[in-house]
């Protein structure tokens, strides 16, 4: 993700009371015809401080770039000059945001009975911080009367704005300690589908699923779920600025936010896919683990790493199942184990609706970016199977994934997760890559 530098007070986040609108804001698809043209397009991207929504990859130089109206004419003209092929990919971002808002309103009105189990919680909607926490507490309470599963909530830390960061532990409850899997979502505020997917996993595991995976998964693993690691940013993306990515720490009354996924302390380096500019959308922080959110989750993982076999962090978008490293194109020595397990997951995920995912190391498949949580979990905490999963879609809606795609995304992702986890060899617990 490239730098979305704060170009106005609105984007810097100093306007707190009004929703920022995206009328006429566009996402362009740019297809350079040669390596040389690609370099020129990237230079234009840097010059205009554009936000790269989908990066060019090896063998596929096309990219999607978000452009504000005030820059549009000039950007289109320089792109025309160099001869790159340009298409309007999303014509009016506000239209997508409006559609999303009206389907959120509709989904909240839907009666509980048509939505499945669970104390009235509609899994196929985008929820706010307080309902997510309430849901976690409700699940923990509900398991008090269940004999085969136990769930408990721990607050592992607090954010810059004082919100709770919560983890739900789900186990068989028979006092047998099993290898564990840690799953998080919402490191990036605007990727709303990630917390929704993680909440659905909790529901399937605790209340059982149609495929019968839940029982096998509880017999094999203890589970940790942190559905919302960046609640301040998430709330801000609901109340003020739909495309907010970072947390909401204030930097010297100038700009807000650190990109938590550039802030983890393994090979931390702002020069690799991050930034030292506090206003950048990929600001890496003043030092590794400068942020309360990354501190909280890393301390929790360190305390529980003994038995941790896998870590999956859910993001959006692009449909990719990525493994380390993000700081280098070199691969970890056991990359073939990670690759095979990811391919088992993506194959199963695709069985439901034919959704395809790319599998590979994040530098090789996506771009290089140091300070990611996956790199630290593998390199720093020694958890063997560490992944970043980029959920739907491939760019038609990008971060503004319509409400009607929540259900298929959750269902296919659950299937992918189950197949992945059941394929792991638990005798390897604790081995380092
Ligand atoms: O750039 C990121 O942080 C992730 N992509 S996103 O579009 N969700 O922002 C990818 C992170 C991959 N992992 C590492 N670079 N370590
Ligand atoms: Zn992300």
């Amino acid at each position: 993700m490239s730098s979305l530098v704060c170009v106005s007070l609105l984007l810097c986040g100093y306007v707190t009371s009004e929703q920022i609108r995206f009328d006429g804001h566009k996402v362009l698809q740019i297809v350079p015809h040669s390596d040389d043209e690609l370099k020129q397009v990237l230079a234009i991207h840097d010059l205009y401080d554009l936000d790269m929504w989908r990066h060019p990859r090896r063998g596929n130089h096309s990219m999607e770039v978000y452009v504000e109206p005030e820059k549009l004419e000039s950007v289109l003209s320089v792109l025309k000059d160099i001869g790159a092929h340009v298409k309007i990919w999303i014509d009016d971002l506000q239209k997508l945001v409006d559609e999303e808002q009206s389907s959120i309103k509709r989904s909240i009105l839907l009666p509980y009975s048509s939505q499945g189990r669970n104390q009235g919680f509609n899994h196929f909607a985008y929820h706010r911080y307080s309902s997510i926490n309430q849901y976690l507490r409700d699940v923990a309470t509900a398991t008090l009367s269940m004999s085969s599963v136990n769930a408990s909530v721990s607050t592992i830390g607090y954010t810059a704005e004082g919100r709770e960061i919560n983890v739900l532990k789900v186990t068989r409850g028979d006092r047998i300690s099993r290898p564990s899997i840690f799953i998080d979502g919402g490191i990036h505020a605007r990727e709303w589908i990630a917390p929704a997917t993680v909440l659905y996993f909790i529901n399937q595991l605790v209340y059982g699923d149609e495929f019968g995976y839940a029982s096998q998964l509880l017999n094999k693993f203890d589970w940790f779920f942190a559905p919302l690691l960046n609640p301040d940013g998430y709330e801000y993306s609901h109340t003020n600025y739909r495309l907010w990515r970072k947390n909401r720490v204030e930097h010297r009354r100038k700009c807000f936010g650190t990109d938590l996924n550039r802030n983890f302390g393994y090979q931390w380096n702002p020069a690799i896919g991050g930034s030292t500019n506090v206003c950048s959308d990929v600001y890496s922080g003043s030092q590794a683990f400068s942020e309360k959110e990354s501190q909280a989750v890393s301390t929790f993982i360190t305390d529980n790493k003994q038995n941790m076999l896998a870590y999956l962090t859910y993001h959006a978008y692009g449909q990719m199942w990525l493994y380390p490293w993000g700081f280098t194109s070199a691969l970890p020595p056991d990359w073939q184990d990670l690759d095979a397990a990811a391919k088992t997951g993506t194959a199963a995920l695709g069985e439901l609706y034919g959704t395809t995912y790319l599998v590979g190391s994040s530098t090789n498949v996506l771009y290089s970016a140091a300070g990611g949580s996956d790199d630290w979990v593998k390199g720093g905490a020694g958890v063997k199977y560490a992944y970043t999963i980029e959920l739907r879609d491939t760019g038609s809606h990008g971060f503004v994934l319509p409400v009607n795609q929540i259900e298929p995304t959750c269902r296919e992702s659950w299937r992918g997760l189950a197949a992945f986890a059941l394929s792991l060899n638990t005798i390897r617990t604790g081995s380092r890559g």
Side-chain angles (χ1 to χ4, degrees), residues 243-398:
L243 294 181
W244 192 257
R245 168 179 168 92
K246 304 185 284 180
N247 72 357
R248 288 292 301 165
V249 70
E250 186 173 359
H251 304 298
R252 288 172 265 124
R253 299 183 60 79
K254 193 176 170 215
C255 276
F256 284 87
T258 297
D259 184 349
L260 297 174
N261 220 30
R262 299 291 179 274
N263 192 243
F264 284 75
Y266 186 71
Q267 300 286 334
W268 179 83
N269 186 351
I272 304 176
S275 173
T276 52
N277 175 358
V278 292
C279 303
S280 162
D281 220 15
V282 288
Y283 176 55
S284 305
S286 55
Q287 58 186 66
F289 291 128
S290 55
E291 304 307 305
K292 292 175 94 175
E293 296 86 349
S294 52
Q295 283 166 21
V297 67
S298 62
T299 302
F300 185 84
I301 289 177
T302 303
D303 291 348
N304 291 280
K305 69 180 185 184
Q306 198 66 29
N307 280 325
M308 207 174 277
L309 183 62
Y311 166 84
L312 296 96
T313 179
Y314 282 81
H315 287 247
Y317 61 94
Q319 294 172 199
M320 289 173 265
W321 197 308
L322 306 169
Y323 47 84
W325 307 109
F327 73 90
T328 171
S329 59
L331 295 170
D334 58 348
W335 71 270
Q336 288 175 339
D337 299 344
L338 279 82
D339 191 79
K343 283 179 176 151
T344 303
T346 54
L349 184 154
E351 281 164 14
L352 269 185
Y353 309 102
T355 311
T356 53
Y357 268 61
L358 283 170
V359 173
S361 93
S362 61
T363 298
N364 296 319
V365 171
L366 190 56
Y367 45 73
S368 56
S373 65
D374 49 359
D375 279 11
W376 175 79
V377 170
K378 183 160 181 62
V383 174
K384 181 178 171 76
Y385 292 97
Y387 298 96
T388 294
I389 293 168
E390 301 282 358
L391 295 165
R392 287 190 189 196
D393 59 11
T394 53
S396 331
H397 299 88

